[in-house]
Amino acid sequence: WGISDLGLACRPTTMRGNIPRILGGALILSAIVFFVLYSHIEETADGRVKRKWIPFRINAAEAKTENGVLTQQNYNPSRDSKTTVGDTNLSPQTSFVPTTPSLAPTLAPFTFSSPSPSPSPSPSLSPAFDPTPAPASDIGPTQDPAVQADPPFVPVQQPTKVSASGESAGQPERAQAVVKAFLHIWNAYEKHAFGYDEIKPLDGRGVQSWGGFGAVMLDALDTMYLMNLTGPVDRARQWMATQLQFDRNHNVNVFETTIRQLGGLLTAYQLTGDQPLLSQASDLGKRLAKAFGCGVVPCSDVNLGTGHASFLGGFGSLAEFTSLALEFKTLSQETGDCTFSDHVEAIFEWLMQQPFGDGLYPFSYRPGGGLTGHVTLGARGDSTYEYLFKEWLLTGRRDKRLREAYDRSMNSILGQLLQRTRNGDVYIAEKIGSRLEAKMDHLVCFLPGVLALDHHFDPNPIRLRAAEDLIKTCYQMYTRTRLGIAPEIVRFDDANMVDDTGSMHSLLRPETVESLFIMFKVTGDQKYREWGWDIFSKWVKCCQVEYGFSGVHNVQQATPQYNNEMPTFFLAETLKYIYLLFAPSDLITLDRYVFNTEAHPLRIFPGPGQQKCGRTAGLANQ
């Protein structure tokens, strides 16, 4: 009608007096064009075809910012993605479809300390993203996730003047900025990927990278407790109570599942006293313990449903089987089932029998044999030395054998592996036979925090000085790159830190900010807060994207090339430690809690006579 009417009205013989009809016809044609261009056909669940509107939004691939957050040339969704840039169906349906959660009852009391008021945006903060969690009725992977893109988040710069109480001015505002960054991720996760293990930060897809057990919820739950985010916590706990099942025919890595899911459940239970959380932890622990069917040294992988255990690739890694003690001993302490504690104490006895009197252990394990390979405090070796010390802390600092084993290893690390360049860069080398390799993983940056924690409980100026020198090097890993964030690995020549050209990517790792948090708690030196704020600001500037934060392929390229990955540890560890760096000093204390290697704070065991299992059960103070 619009076309014919417009044609008739525009004939020269009839145009006069038909201006209203011309305008009406043009309006109708415009509506038809708009309808075709801004909608698409889709099939409904019952087979009917309907047209669905495409909402107005900024195409992510066309969004350009001045701070390098997202540009056309570096936006590169993964090739196997079923979505395209601007597609409204960003959460593909899989065989696992988490259900939409509902609000859970009010949280049980928070037990670290008196909780601070719920975070609210400071008037001085940039309104980067709405900190209000999405309503429960709007959450779930089946919901259309087409939402307005969040504008770039720019944290407020705060003064560094120290008040009379010793607290830096502006710290609450900085803590709020970290909360806003967390909520930028979590709101996207709840809207587009709730129940999935992870969310892809560039396109918002939910992925089951850890078997479909809601890994990021278990890993980040205590971060949300510390931030007092009651709404997200309620919904996560409701999902865990109704959807989380470990009795599934799925193979998992014992170490990763222990530190992430088991550690997360145990901390959540200790925070709330919620008995179902402990029941889930016990269930998971019993399934993981099937890996000890391989012998004293557990298999690297186990099927949670069948209990079948195996060494993936035919070998094991030192850090994996020696870094189960905090979680398994805590599970024994909370349940009274000493089986878990007995397993990890047998591993310690096995390790002490290996022919490495200096306490420097090769990283590779041959099933049925011994340890081989080189010595590293990086990948596959790092948390072995961390847990020797932290297990001593967890069990009340009464196990002399643990302390002696840790001291033996640490003396050798500082005596043999600690190196210094001509220009003063201090680093931890790797040992290959009798040769040292001038290479250091970012993972090694956990060590300054352990050394500072050691000094906190047993004053040792030499170890504290080593911690101060090492954390300076770790911070320099950030400041020397074009993006201001650290690569995975660096190397050293005789004079300086240099690039490892094959390892210039960033996975948003937490080790440096972990050590900054502990260094500040132990020394009170405000520079560690400033360094942490600088690192956080650089992450926000270069790594924040539409649905979270993304790692990058090369930190020395001025324009970020995103890898579309946001590991669960970014929420569980990285943002948690940054938040704690600026949060009230009494929120969590080092004298009551010890963090596992995934940043889950576990309560230090009670005094003599109150420990239920293990070597230290019933021991008097030593």
Side-chain angles (χ1 to χ4, degrees):
W1 179 86
I3 294 174
S4 60
D5 195 46
L6 183 61
L8 289 174
C10 290
R11 290 169 54 188
T13 57
T14 59
M15 182 177 295
R16 182 176 179 143
N18 284 332
I19 296 301
R21 299 184 66 186
I22 294 175
L23 294 177
L27 181 63
I28 292 171
L29 280 177
S30 299
I32 294 172
V33 171
F34 180 89
F35 184 74
V36 171
L37 291 181
Y38 289 97
S39 66
H40 70 278
I41 298 292
E42 75 173 20
E43 186 175 356
T44 62
D46 59 3
R48 293 181 298 171
V49 173
K50 70 174 183 179
R51 184 169 292 274
K52 184 175 181 181
W53 291 107
I54 300 176
F56 286 104
R57 60 180 293 178
I58 299 174
N59 189 309
E62 298 173 353
K64 297 181 183 291
T65 65
E66 297 181 357
N67 62 5
V69 169
L70 190 65
T71 62
Q72 172 76 36
Q73 60 267 33
N74 64 39
Y75 185 85
N76 181 26
S78 58
R79 297 189 177 204
D80 61 350
S81 171
K82 295 182 181 178
T83 64
T84 57
V85 177
D87 192 345
T88 61
N89 184 22
L90 296 182
S91 294
Q93 297 300 308
T94 66
S95 58
F96 175 79
V97 182
T99 60
T100 301
S102 59
L103 289 175
T106 305
L107 285 176
F110 174 57
T111 58
F112 274 133
S113 64
S114 299
S116 56
S118 299
S120 57
S122 167
S124 60
L125 287 174
S126 170
F129 23 75
D130 184 4
T132 305
S137 59
D138 294 336
I139 300 168
T142 59
Q143 180 197 341
D144 181 3
V147 294
Q148 181 66 37
D150 294 315
F153 170 64
V154 182
V156 62
Q157 296 294 328
Q158 294 296 330
T160 59
K161 181 179 179 181
V162 179
S163 67
S165 64
E167 293 283 339
S168 278
Q171 301 313 323
E173 289 80 3
R174 289 182 172 185
Q176 290 295 328
V178 182
V179 172
K180 286 170 70 94
F182 183 94
L183 284 170
H184 170 59
I185 302 168
W186 199 258
N187 288 344
Y189 173 72
E190 284 199 311
K191 291 176 183 177
H192 310 308
F194 195 83
Y196 287 95
D197 287 332
E198 293 179 337
I199 182 174
K200 291 291 186 180
L202 291 182
D203 52 40
R205 288 182 297 121
V207 290
Q208 304 294 28
S209 48
W210 294 98
F213 298 101
V216 71
M217 271 192 279
L218 276 67
D219 218 3
L221 187 61
D222 56 359
T223 303
M224 294 188 286
Y225 270 103
L226 290 168
M227 292 179 175
N228 204 23
L229 302 177
T230 56
V233 169
D234 282 340
R235 293 188 286 275
R237 285 178 65 183
Q238 179 69 9
W239 184 91
M240 290 162 61
T242 59
Q243 301 297 313
L244 181 60
Q245 296 290 335
F246 293 115
D247 185 12
R248 289 176 47 204
N249 184 16
H250 188 82
N251 197 65
V252 300
N253 179 272
V254 174
F255 164 72
E256 294 289 358
T257 306
T258 296
I259 66 172
R260 296 174 190 239
Q261 283 103 311
L262 181 57
L265 284 168
L266 288 169
T267 292
Y269 167 70
Q270 291 186 338
L271 290 174
T272 66
D274 188 359
Q275 192 65 35
L277 294 171
L278 181 60
S279 298
Q280 288 178 315
S282 179
D283 176 45
L284 178 58
K286 290 175 181 178
R287 296 176 187 280
L288 293 171
K290 298 289 186 181
F292 286 90
C294 297
V296 172
V297 175
C299 280
S300 63
D301 291 71
V302 68
N303 187 298
L304 294 183
T306 67
H308 175 71
S310 62
F311 282 98
L312 188 65
F315 62 88
S317 296
L318 174 72
E320 292 193 347
F321 65 80
T322 59
S323 304
L324 309 173
L326 299 188
E327 300 81 7
F328 272 52
K329 284 199 167 186
T330 296
L331 186 56
S332 285
Q333 179 67 22
E334 295 294 353
T335 64
D337 184 347
C338 294
T339 304
F340 307 110
S341 179
D342 292 343
H343 281 317
V344 293
E345 291 203 341
I347 294 175
F348 174 77
E349 297 297 340
W350 180 91
L351 186 64
M352 294 300 99
Q353 294 170 9
Q354 301 308 299
F356 305 102
D358 58 1
L360 298 179
Y361 303 103
F363 70 82
S364 185
Y365 170 72
R366 293 178 289 106
L371 298 172
T372 62
H374 63 272
V375 174
T376 177
L377 267 73
R380 301 180 64 189
D382 49 356
S383 51
T384 297
Y385 308 97
E386 176 188 2
Y387 269 41
L388 284 175
F389 180 73
K390 288 185 174 180
E391 185 182 351
W392 175 75
L393 282 183
L394 181 74
T395 55
R397 294 176 283 152
R398 289 185 288 276
D399 192 329
K400 288 184 176 180
R401 295 188 65 209
L402 279 171
R403 180 71 206 201
E404 290 169 354
Y406 163 76
D407 282 334
R408 182 164 55 250
S409 294
M410 195 53 60
N411 288 338
S412 297
I413 290 169
L414 300 183
Q416 298 182 42
L417 307 185
L418 187 73
Q419 302 293 308
R420 186 184 299 269
T421 68
R422 289 200 310 270
N423 289 333
D425 296 330
V426 175
Y427 65 96
I428 300 294
E430 296 187 350
K431 186 178 182 181
I432 305 175
S434 59
R435 176 178 64 86
L436 294 182
E437 183 172 7
K439 164 184 173 289
M440 191 171 90
D441 294 9
H442 186 277
L443 288 165
V444 181
C445 290
F446 82 92
L447 186 58
V450 169
L451 289 169
L453 204 57
D454 183 0
H455 173 77
H456 175 69
F457 288 101
D458 187 9
N460 188 322
I462 294 176
R463 291 184 180 177
L464 181 61
R465 176 59 187 273
E468 293 170 340
D469 290 343
L470 285 169
I471 193 60
K472 182 179 179 181
T473 299
C474 291
Y475 178 52
Q476 186 185 347
M477 290 173 69
Y478 288 79
T479 59
R480 64 179 296 275
T481 69
R482 297 188 71 180
L483 288 180
I485 60 176
E488 185 72 358
I489 297 172
V490 294
R491 292 183 178 271
F492 299 85
D493 58 24
D494 290 341
N496 299 299
M497 182 188 299
V498 296
D499 288 347
D500 182 312
T501 55
S503 304
M504 298 309 297
H505 58 285
S506 169
L507 301 178
L508 309 174
R509 288 201 181 273
E511 290 78 21
T512 294
V513 293
E514 171 188 1
S515 286
L516 288 172
F517 160 67
I518 298 174
M519 292 292 292
F520 172 72
K521 295 285 280 189
V522 170
T523 69
D525 192 332
Q526 295 291 333
K527 74 181 177 186
Y528 299 123
R529 275 180 160 171
E530 299 310 311
W531 292 1
W533 181 250
D534 180 50
I535 291 171
F536 172 69
S537 300
K538 295 302 194 304
W539 276 328
V540 168
K541 180 179 179 181
C542 81
C543 299
Q544 182 204 315
V545 291
E546 186 171 359
Y547 300 99
F549 286 70
S550 174
V552 299
H553 290 296
N554 192 326
V555 298
Q556 291 290 24
Q557 293 181 350
T559 301
Q561 303 292 321
Y562 298 117
N563 64 12
N564 199 21
E565 298 291 340
M566 182 174 57
T568 68
F569 62 66
F570 184 68
L571 290 85
E573 300 185 71
T574 308
L575 290 181
K576 180 187 294 167
Y577 282 126
I578 284 285
Y579 173 74
L580 291 174
L581 187 59
F582 303 112
S585 58
D586 61 348
L587 180 59
I588 186 168
T589 67
L590 302 179
D591 296 312
R592 293 186 59 202
Y593 294 89
V594 58
F595 289 86
N596 82 339
T597 198
E598 190 73 8
H600 297 304
L602 299 170
R603 196 159 47 224
I604 292 174
F605 289 1
Q610 300 181 59
Q611 296 186 29
K612 299 176 181 178
C613 302
R615 288 186 303 270
T616 55
L619 285 181
N621 281 313
Q622 298 178 351

